[in-house]
Amino acid sequence: MSTDTTRSAILTAAERLYAERGFGDVTLRDIVAAAGVNLAAVNYHFGSKDELIAELFVTRSIATNRERFNELKAAETAGGGRAPIEAVLRALIGPTLRGCLGQDSERSDAARFMIRAAIETIPPIRKIKNREIDHLRKFAAAMRRSLPGKPDAEIYWGLHFALAMAQQTVRDSERLLRLSEGTCDLDDVDGVIDRVVAVASLALKTGTTGTGDPAAAERPRRGSGEIRSASGLTNRTESSS
C-alpha cells in the first residue's frame, strides 16, 4: 500500500468509526484494524489520536468554509459589494446546517463526524475552534458592510448567536423532535436555515439590547486582559464553528 493510500485509508476508517461510535469509544487499534494497516503507520502519518482527529476536523472545516466564502462572495457581488444581512448570515450558517441535517446528509460519514464534533467538544477540536477565527473575522467585516454604523460589539454578538443557534440545532435535533412531537421538521433544512436567519437578522436590525438599562451600564465588564486563550494545536487552517 502506497504512502498516500495508507494515509487515506486511515482517515476514511477513522472518520467512519468516530461517526458511528464517538471519539471516546474508538481506539487507535480499532482504526488500524479497520484500515488494514499497522499501528506504526498511524504514528508515522499523524503522531497521535488527537492529531488524527484534528486532521479530520480541519479537512471537513476547509470544505465548509470554502462553501461559506463562495456564498458570501456571490451575495456581495450581487449587491455591488454589500450584501443584505440576511444573505451574509445565510452564507455563515447555511453550509453547516446543510451538511449536518437532512436525510441524505445524516447517512454520510462526513456529516455524522461533524455532528459528533459538535456534540462531543473534545480538546483537540475545542483548541482548533478557539484558535482559528480568521474566517469569522471576514464574516464580521461583511456584517459591518451590511449594517454600517452598528457597534462592533453588536456585530460580534449577532455573529456569535447565529452560530450558536445553528450549532444547538445540530446538537439537540433529537430532543427538538421529541419535544415538538415531530412538528418541527428537521428534514426541511432550507426551512431551518430560514428560521435561524430570520431570528438572527431581526435581533441585529432592531438595535442594541440592554444599553438603555442603567443597571447594565454599572455592571463590570471583562477586560481584554481577562480573556482566556486556548493553547494547543499549531495554527494550520481556518476551522468551522
Side-chain angles (χ1 to χ4, degrees):
M1 191 179 293
S2 69
T3 299
D4 288 345
T5 303
T6 299
R7 180 182 178 85
S8 178
I10 294 169
L11 288 169
T12 300
E15 184 170 63
R16 176 173 56 80
L17 290 174
Y18 289 138
E20 291 174 354
R21 293 161 48 185
F23 298 111
D25 290 341
V26 176
T27 67
L28 287 180
R29 294 191 181 278
D30 294 329
I31 293 169
V32 299
V37 301
N38 57 45
L39 190 58
V42 176
N43 293 328
Y44 173 78
H45 287 288
F46 303 101
S48 69
K49 179 179 177 179
D50 280 359
E51 288 290 342
L52 173 56
I53 292 172
E55 180 76 18
L56 284 166
F57 182 71
V58 165
T59 299
R60 294 305 174 196
S61 295
I62 288 172
T64 298
N65 285 330
R66 184 181 300 116
E67 187 176 352
R68 280 172 162 170
F69 291 137
N70 286 341
E71 291 187 21
L72 178 60
K73 181 179 179 180
E76 291 201 310
T77 299
R82 188 172 75 183
I85 188 61
E86 292 84 358
V88 176
L89 293 171
R90 190 176 300 276
L92 175 68
I93 58 95
T96 297
L97 291 175
R98 285 194 297 272
C100 293
L101 299 180
Q103 294 179 346
D104 291 337
S105 293
E106 287 175 346
R107 288 196 295 267
S108 74
D109 291 340
R112 289 184 294 139
F113 173 84
M114 292 305 281
I115 292 170
R116 288 283 186 188
I119 296 172
E120 303 177 26
T121 47
I122 58 173
I125 290 176
R126 186 166 58 248
K127 288 174 182 176
I128 294 172
K129 285 186 173 182
N130 286 341
R131 291 171 64 91
E132 310 291 349
I133 58 175
D134 286 349
H135 65 297
L136 297 180
R137 292 191 190 282
K138 293 176 183 177
F139 272 93
M143 291 168 69
R144 289 191 197 94
R145 290 191 289 272
S146 298
L147 299 171
K150 180 67 67 174
D152 278 356
E154 298 307 311
I155 292 292
Y156 290 124
W157 277 118
L159 186 152
H160 175 75
F161 289 144
L163 290 172
M165 282 190 283
Q167 290 296 314
Q168 181 67 12
T169 301
V170 171
R171 278 195 298 265
D172 280 343
S173 58
E174 184 177 349
R175 182 171 69 169
L176 177 58
L177 283 173
R178 295 180 65 182
L179 176 65
S180 69
E181 297 181 344
T183 58
C184 293
D185 185 4
L186 287 162
D187 288 337
D188 179 14
V189 181
D190 288 338
V192 174
I193 294 170
D194 287 344
R195 290 177 185 276
V196 174
V197 169
V199 173
S201 60
L202 179 63
L204 280 162
K205 286 179 174 180
T206 53
T208 305
T209 301
T211 53
D213 180 4
E218 296 176 3
R219 285 197 293 266
R221 296 173 179 265
R222 290 179 62 188
S224 58
E226 298 176 16
I227 297 175
R228 294 186 295 270
S229 62
S231 61
L233 299 173
T234 303
N235 186 347
R236 290 181 295 178
T237 186
E238 296 173 350
S239 71
S240 174
S241 294

